[in-house]
């Protein structure tokens, strides 16, 4: 599949041709506001993500990153605004239907089914995902492929309780990938990991885009490792979008630096 596997840096010609015809935007958030009582967790946030991108979504703790993922994945309905995915308004859809359209997420706090083995947890994702023509055997095989892809070393009878923090993060990713998404929302995949595990996890995300052709929005509150991998960065602070650009542009943006230094 040419469209998916070509890295964004090499897709300039393709994009240019595309703009001549009707350009379709992969994901578009239009003026999203989410109020929790008097608190605006998101304030009039608009941004667009292109097919094939790895987008970083950063901001201090409490800036609205997870809330934005909840809105995109349909877990929360925005107070105002809408989410367009591949030209379709997905705002009114259930999380289940949004998953079937090809949006998967990994959660900030891993929550595997503890009474199921690791591979069963992943196979469940495959059965829940878009392609429902799987038999149980095929689901198991598919699950094992994905487990290998994310670099999880487990036996048939390994349970999630036996995994390290790094292993649980990989399982979260594997479960999301098993649904065969077009867009992966990855929430703080680095938290709780050692420096070495962080490097490994960021390389896995890069391979998910490069080899599987999956577009990624990657949330992290710390910037450094993420900045080496993402094409573009969007920055939230107190629920508002304060900056967007290349990693270099964002790292040198005064308002961004202030938001981070002011908090941490
Ligand atoms: P981040 O992921 O950037 O750390 P969140 O999106 O989790 O931030 O939270 C943004 C703000 O919204 C925080 O002030 C948080 O306390 C608040 N918030 C998040 N979810 C809820 C909820 N379900 N009910 C009330 N307040 C919430
Ligand atoms: Mg969060």
């Amino acid at each position: 599949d040419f469209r998916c596997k070509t890295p964004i840096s090499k897709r300039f010609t393709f994009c240019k041709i595309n703009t001549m015809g009707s350009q379709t935007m992969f994901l578009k958030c239009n003026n999203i506001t989410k109020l929790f009582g008097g608190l605006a967790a998101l304030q009039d946030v608009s941004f667009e993500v292109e097919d094939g991108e790895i987008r970083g979504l950063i901001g201090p703790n409490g800036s609205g990153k997870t809330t934005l993922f909840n809105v995109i994945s349909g877990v929360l309905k925005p107070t105002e605004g809408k989410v367009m995915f591949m030209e379709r308004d997905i705002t009114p859809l259930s999380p289940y239907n949004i998953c079937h359209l090809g949006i998967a997420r990994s959660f900030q706090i891993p929550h595997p089914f503890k009474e199921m083995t690791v591979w069963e947890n992943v196979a469940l994702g495959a059965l829940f995902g878009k392609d429902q023509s799987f038999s149980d055997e095929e689901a198991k095989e598919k699950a094992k492929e994905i487990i290998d892809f994310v670099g999880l070393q487990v036996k048939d009878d390994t349970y999630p309780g036996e995994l390290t923090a790094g292993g649980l993060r990989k399982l979260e990713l594997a479960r999301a990938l098993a649904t065969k998404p077009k867009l992966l929302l990855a929430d703080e995949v680095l938290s709780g990991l050692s420096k070495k595990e962080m490097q490994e996890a960021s390389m896995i995300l890069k391979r998910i885009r490069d080899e599987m052709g999956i577009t990624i929005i990657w949330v992290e509150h710390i910037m450094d490792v993420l900045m080496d991998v993402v094409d573009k960065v969007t920055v939230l602070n107190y629920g508002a979008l304060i900056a967007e650009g290349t990693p270099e542009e964002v790292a040198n943006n005064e308002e961004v630096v202030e938001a981070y230094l002011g908090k941490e």
Side-chain angles (χ1 to χ4, degrees), residues 6 14 26 33 41 44 65 69 83 131 151 200 207 220 237:
T6 314
F14 179 66
F26 186 69
T33 292
D44 200 27
K65 305 180 297 296
F69 272 7
V83 183
D131 193 348
E200 193 194 351
R207 285 181 47 227
E220 212 65 58
N237 193 28

Side-chain angles (χ1 to χ4, degrees), residues 36 39 41 59-68 76 108 187-188 219:
F36 292 117
L39 175 89
N61 278 326
S63 56
K65 305 180 297 296
T66 297
T67 302
L68 188 52
L76 290 173
Q108 186 168 351
D187 200 350
E188 304 222 7
V219 155

Side-chain angles (χ1 to χ4, degrees), residues 2-58:
F2 166 78
R3 178 186 62 97
C4 291
K5 290 205 174 115
T6 314
I8 197 159
S9 55
K10 304 213 174 89
R11 282 173 48 219
F12 181 65
T13 321
F14 179 66
C15 293
K16 233 176 139 186
I17 293 163
N18 208 7
T19 53
M20 315 265 292
S22 61
Q23 195 190 18
T24 60
M25 188 42 71
F26 186 69
L27 180 81
K28 202 168 174 172
C29 290
N30 290 337
N31 310 96
I32 305 283
T33 292
K34 179 65 191 177
L35 303 178
F36 292 117
L39 175 89
L42 295 169
Q43 306 180 50
D44 200 27
V45 172
S46 296
F47 76 113
E48 294 179 0
V49 174
E50 249 190 79
D51 191 6
E53 256 192 76
I54 304 182
R55 172 68 58 94
L57 179 63
I58 66 170

Side-chain angles (χ1 to χ4, degrees), residues 2-240:
F2 166 78
R3 178 186 62 97
C4 291
K5 290 205 174 115
T6 314
I8 197 159
S9 55
K10 304 213 174 89
R11 282 173 48 219
F12 181 65
T13 321
F14 179 66
C15 293
K16 233 176 139 186
I17 293 163
N18 208 7
T19 53
M20 315 265 292
S22 61
Q23 195 190 18
T24 60
M25 188 42 71
F26 186 69
L27 180 81
K28 202 168 174 172
C29 290
N30 290 337
N31 310 96
I32 305 283
T33 292
K34 179 65 191 177
L35 303 178
F36 292 117
L39 175 89
L42 295 169
Q43 306 180 50
D44 200 27
V45 172
S46 296
F47 76 113
E48 294 179 0
V49 174
E50 249 190 79
D51 191 6
E53 256 192 76
I54 304 182
R55 172 68 58 94
L57 179 63
I58 66 170
N61 278 326
S63 56
K65 305 180 297 296
T66 297
T67 302
L68 188 52
F69 272 7
N70 283 332
V71 167
I72 295 170
S73 59
V75 172
L76 290 173
K77 296 299 158 198
T79 311
E80 273 176 71
K82 64 181 178 180
V83 183
M84 304 289 294
F85 180 57
M86 297 176 24
E87 303 293 288
R88 179 171 177 177
D89 183 0
I90 61 166
T91 330
L93 302 185
S94 69
Y96 181 79
N97 285 324
I98 290 172
C99 174
H100 276 248
L101 285 177
I103 300 182
R105 69 185 292 187
S106 78
F107 285 86
Q108 186 168 351
I109 298 157
H111 58 165
F113 294 102
K114 291 196 171 76
E115 64 290 349
M116 290 175 143
T117 63
V118 168
W119 80 259
E120 284 171 335
N121 266 277
V122 178
L124 203 65
L127 293 167
F128 182 76
K130 290 184 307 144
D131 193 348
Q132 290 193 303
S133 54
F134 279 126
S135 70
D136 284 6
E137 256 330 288
E138 283 168 325
K140 182 173 184 176
E141 208 157 290
K142 194 83 208 150
K144 288 188 166 173
E145 266 173 44
I146 296 166
I147 286 168
D148 282 345
F149 187 90
V150 300
L152 250 181
Q153 273 144 11
V154 292
K155 301 200 188 81
D156 270 9
D157 61 352
T158 305
Y159 284 83
E162 302 165 54
L163 299 179
T164 60
L168 285 169
R169 294 273 156 211
K170 287 176 182 170
L171 174 55
E172 268 300 296
L173 279 179
R175 292 176 70 202
L177 291 177
T179 67
K180 295 178 91 188
K182 296 186 179 77
L183 171 64
L184 172 67
L185 308 174
D187 200 350
E188 304 222 7
V189 292
L190 302 184
S191 71
L193 302 190
S194 69
K195 198 79 197 170
K196 185 166 159 276
E197 288 175 316
M198 285 188 190
Q199 294 293 348
E200 193 194 351
S202 75
M203 279 308 118
I204 292 168
L205 285 180
K206 191 166 157 30
R207 285 181 47 227
I208 290 170
R209 192 275 305 273
D210 293 349
E211 294 170 31
M212 293 180 152
I214 297 170
T215 305
I216 299 172
I217 307 179
W218 180 8
V219 155
E220 212 65 58
H221 84 276
I222 42 163
M223 298 194 217
D224 39 348
V225 180
L226 172 144
M227 292 303 222
D228 297 334
V229 174
V230 298
D231 299 300
K232 247 174 120 176
V233 188
T234 300
V235 190
L236 293 178
N237 193 28
Y238 294 111

